[in-house]
Amino acid sequence: MGASTRHVAWTGWDDDPDRLEAATVVVRGDRLAALGTSRATTYATSWALRTGPGWVTEHLDVSVHGVGWSRHLDLVRTPDGVWSADVRESGTAPSDLAPPGIDDPAALDGALDCDVALCPVTNTMPILRLGLLGDAPPARETELVMAWVELPSLRVLRSDQRYAARSPLDPATGRGVVTYTSATRDVAADLTVDADGIVVDYPELARRL
């Protein structure tokens, strides 16, 4: 089966115009692999993601580098749904950062996806798995549990989220709209996405370059 390889980049919205995100995303059948970078004002992030069938997360590797410090997170989900993390640190991180790693392993029960803060790519997996761009999306919003990776701390927290189809894929523009809600962080947005389920416009967070 052929693969679709995409090279995409985003910038922050007007309140954060200096933040840059870039990623290479390979979609093959019902799985994807991706790697990317993010540049913020005080730190830089690099990550690599691999899913198994059904776009379910298998492995996420994230590194954060600040001036005089760095952190690394190796996050794994086994086929039976158990999440584990290996963390490494060097230097002296800012004192207000939470410790890296999974905050409460039991809280991640039922989570199929990782969700990296500020990273538009990690919205793609639930969008594709739920068929939100297809001809017969779920009639109601779907409730999901995510393993949310906080940046720059690399703390992993439970995040309760909801996804719903809003506008079907428009053949003329190759874009559709998906409604995303994070109950945990009190965030709601209509995401404009392309035919591969990759975010084009995430209001107040990122817009495609």
Side-chain angles (χ1 to χ4, degrees), residues 25-62:
V25 184
V26 180
V27 179
R28 184 188 302 272
D30 65 345
R31 64 186 67 200
L32 66 79
L35 54 89
T37 59
S38 175
R39 189 198 73 194
T41 303
T42 59
Y43 64 91
T45 305
S46 60
W47 55 268
L49 167 67
R50 184 183 72 247
T51 81
W55 296 285
V56 175
T57 296
E58 287 186 343
H59 185 206
L60 173 71
D61 189 281
V62 191

Side-chain angles (χ1 to χ4, degrees), residues 194-209:
D194 62 24
D196 287 323
I198 301 173
V199 169
V200 175
D201 190 18
Y202 187 144
E204 307 303 325
L205 180 78
R207 54 165 57 100
R208 184 88 61 86
L209 291 173

